[in-house]
Amino acid sequence: MSFKHTLIATDFGESAKKALELAIEISRKFATRLTLVHCWEPPSYAYGGGLYAPVDTTTPMQEAAARHLREALIDLKTHVPDAEVLLRTGRAWEEILAPAKQIGAELIVVGTHWWRGLGHVLTGSVAAQVERMARAPGRSYGAVQAAYYA
């Protein structure tokens, strides 16, 4: 088994840190390129059939996401010097799969919180959705769900 490019998704939580450790280990073992991606989704508020936000919530969220990603890259480069990062906006599973295809990632590593409840039942976890969609016909990469309890 050989990989040339691994994509690792992060939400900066504990399970994502464990998944990142796994991705670093894989990158070292197979001498793969490593790209860390973080996705954030702006909140939307619907009132009376339209979208309305009384204050700018997206700029601070985007700035915080970018700051966390820069900090993660500094640490990541101590382990994988040529690592890269991507900041994406939108639904997490879509914004993990889109760049994976663009960069030609053969492997996707995603941590999971193992959350349960109505939200999980209705939408599924990001990790499960990435795994399901990455294995869909026409996809050119495999998916690994790196499952760790947070």
Side-chain angles (χ1 to χ4, degrees), residues 40 42-43 55-67 87:
W40 69 280
V55 295
D56 177 16
T57 58
T58 58
T59 301
M61 290 177 71
Q62 184 172 11
E63 289 171 352
R67 184 179 64 253
L87 179 60

Tab-separated table of all heavy atoms in Angstrom, residues 40 42-43 55-67 87:
chain	number	residue	atom	x	y	z
A	40	TRP	N	-14.989	25.826	8.397
A	40	TRP	CA	-15.911	26.494	9.312
A	40	TRP	C	-17.140	26.906	8.521
A	40	TRP	O	-17.065	27.194	7.335
A	40	TRP	CB	-15.253	27.674	10.021
A	40	TRP	CG	-14.955	28.832	9.119
A	40	TRP	CD1	-13.901	28.966	8.270
A	40	TRP	CD2	-15.744	30.002	8.955
A	40	TRP	NE1	-13.981	30.149	7.590
A	40	TRP	CE2	-15.113	30.809	8.001
A	40	TRP	CE3	-16.929	30.450	9.532
A	40	TRP	CZ2	-15.615	32.035	7.599
A	40	TRP	CZ3	-17.429	31.680	9.138
A	40	TRP	CH2	-16.775	32.452	8.188
A	42	PRO	N	-20.351	29.459	8.415
A	42	PRO	CA	-20.958	30.660	9.007
A	42	PRO	C	-22.384	30.369	9.447
A	42	PRO	O	-23.107	29.644	8.751
A	42	PRO	CB	-20.937	31.688	7.873
A	42	PRO	CG	-20.332	31.050	6.697
A	42	PRO	CD	-20.045	29.618	7.012
A	43	PRO	N	-22.778	30.917	10.574
A	43	PRO	CA	-24.156	30.710	11.015
A	43	PRO	C	-25.107	31.492	10.119
A	43	PRO	O	-24.748	32.520	9.562
A	43	PRO	CB	-24.164	31.268	12.441
A	43	PRO	CG	-23.059	32.260	12.463
A	43	PRO	CD	-22.022	31.745	11.497
A	55	VAL	N	-25.388	41.515	13.475
A	55	VAL	CA	-23.982	41.899	13.615
A	55	VAL	C	-23.138	40.995	12.722
A	55	VAL	O	-23.567	39.922	12.326
A	55	VAL	CB	-23.483	41.783	15.080
A	55	VAL	CG1	-24.199	42.759	15.987
A	55	VAL	CG2	-23.644	40.369	15.596
A	56	ASP	N	-21.941	41.447	12.429
A	56	ASP	CA	-21.025	40.650	11.621
A	56	ASP	C	-20.430	39.553	12.487
A	56	ASP	O	-19.562	39.810	13.318
A	56	ASP	CB	-19.924	41.542	11.047
A	56	ASP	CG	-18.902	40.755	10.253
A	56	ASP	OD1	-19.182	39.602	9.878
A	56	ASP	OD2	-17.813	41.301	10.006
A	57	THR	N	-20.910	38.346	12.290
A	57	THR	CA	-20.383	37.206	13.044
A	57	THR	C	-19.347	36.432	12.244
A	57	THR	O	-18.556	35.690	12.812
A	57	THR	CB	-21.508	36.236	13.445
A	57	THR	OG1	-22.178	35.797	12.269
A	57	THR	CG2	-22.494	36.900	14.401
A	58	THR	N	-19.357	36.606	10.927
A	58	THR	CA	-18.478	35.790	10.105
A	58	THR	C	-17.020	36.233	10.152
A	58	THR	O	-16.127	35.389	10.173
A	58	THR	CB	-18.953	35.761	8.636
A	58	THR	OG1	-19.005	37.079	8.127
A	58	THR	CG2	-20.312	35.109	8.530
A	59	THR	N	-16.765	37.532	10.184
A	59	THR	CA	-15.374	37.999	10.186
A	59	THR	C	-14.611	37.505	11.404
A	59	THR	O	-13.522	36.944	11.252
A	59	THR	CB	-15.306	39.535	10.063
A	59	THR	OG1	-15.945	39.920	8.841
A	59	THR	CG2	-13.871	40.022	10.071
A	60	PRO	N	-15.139	37.672	12.624
A	60	PRO	CA	-14.399	37.144	13.781
A	60	PRO	C	-14.215	35.630	13.737
A	60	PRO	O	-13.171	35.118	14.141
A	60	PRO	CB	-15.257	37.547	14.988
A	60	PRO	CG	-16.144	38.632	14.512
A	60	PRO	CD	-16.322	38.423	13.039
A	61	MET	N	-15.219	34.916	13.222
A	61	MET	CA	-15.097	33.460	13.129
A	61	MET	C	-14.022	33.074	12.127
A	61	MET	O	-13.204	32.184	12.390
A	61	MET	CB	-16.440	32.835	12.732
A	61	MET	CG	-17.487	32.909	13.807
A	61	MET	SD	-19.077	32.252	13.268
A	61	MET	CE	-18.690	30.514	13.185
A	62	GLN	N	-13.994	33.740	10.992
A	62	GLN	CA	-12.991	33.433	9.975
A	62	GLN	C	-11.596	33.787	10.478
A	62	GLN	O	-10.642	33.040	10.263
A	62	GLN	CB	-13.286	34.170	8.674
A	62	GLN	CG	-12.327	33.785	7.578
A	62	GLN	CD	-12.725	34.358	6.228
A	62	GLN	OE1	-13.602	35.202	6.119
A	62	GLN	NE2	-12.085	33.879	5.187
A	63	GLU	N	-11.463	34.918	11.155
A	63	GLU	CA	-10.160	35.315	11.697
A	63	GLU	C	-9.675	34.331	12.752
A	63	GLU	O	-8.496	33.977	12.789
A	63	GLU	CB	-10.238	36.728	12.272
A	63	GLU	CG	-10.380	37.801	11.196
A	63	GLU	CD	-10.667	39.182	11.764
A	63	GLU	OE1	-10.914	39.312	12.987
A	63	GLU	OE2	-10.652	40.139	10.965
A	64	ALA	N	-10.582	33.852	13.615
A	64	ALA	CA	-10.203	32.879	14.643
A	64	ALA	C	-9.793	31.556	13.997
A	64	ALA	O	-8.798	30.943	14.401
A	64	ALA	CB	-11.362	32.656	15.612
A	65	ALA	N	-10.539	31.129	12.982
A	65	ALA	CA	-10.204	29.887	12.287
A	65	ALA	C	-8.830	29.999	11.634
A	65	ALA	O	-8.005	29.084	11.733
A	65	ALA	CB	-11.268	29.561	11.243
A	66	ALA	N	-8.571	31.131	10.986
A	66	ALA	CA	-7.272	31.343	10.328
A	66	ALA	C	-6.140	31.363	11.352
A	66	ALA	O	-5.071	30.788	11.119
A	66	ALA	CB	-7.292	32.633	9.519
A	67	ARG	N	-6.365	31.989	12.493
A	67	ARG	CA	-5.342	32.050	13.545
A	67	ARG	C	-5.031	30.655	14.083
A	67	ARG	O	-3.864	30.271	14.212
A	67	ARG	CB	-5.805	32.972	14.677
A	67	ARG	CG	-4.757	33.162	15.772
A	67	ARG	CD	-5.221	34.091	16.890
A	67	ARG	NE	-6.360	33.547	17.618
A	67	ARG	CZ	-7.617	33.996	17.533
A	67	ARG	NH1	-7.918	35.005	16.753
A	67	ARG	NH2	-8.576	33.435	18.228
A	87	LEU	N	-7.844	26.542	4.550
A	87	LEU	CA	-8.985	27.033	5.319
A	87	LEU	C	-10.164	27.088	4.361
A	87	LEU	O	-10.090	27.741	3.314
A	87	LEU	CB	-8.705	28.413	5.908
A	87	LEU	CG	-9.844	29.045	6.713
A	87	LEU	CD1	-10.222	28.167	7.904
A	87	LEU	CD2	-9.442	30.434	7.176
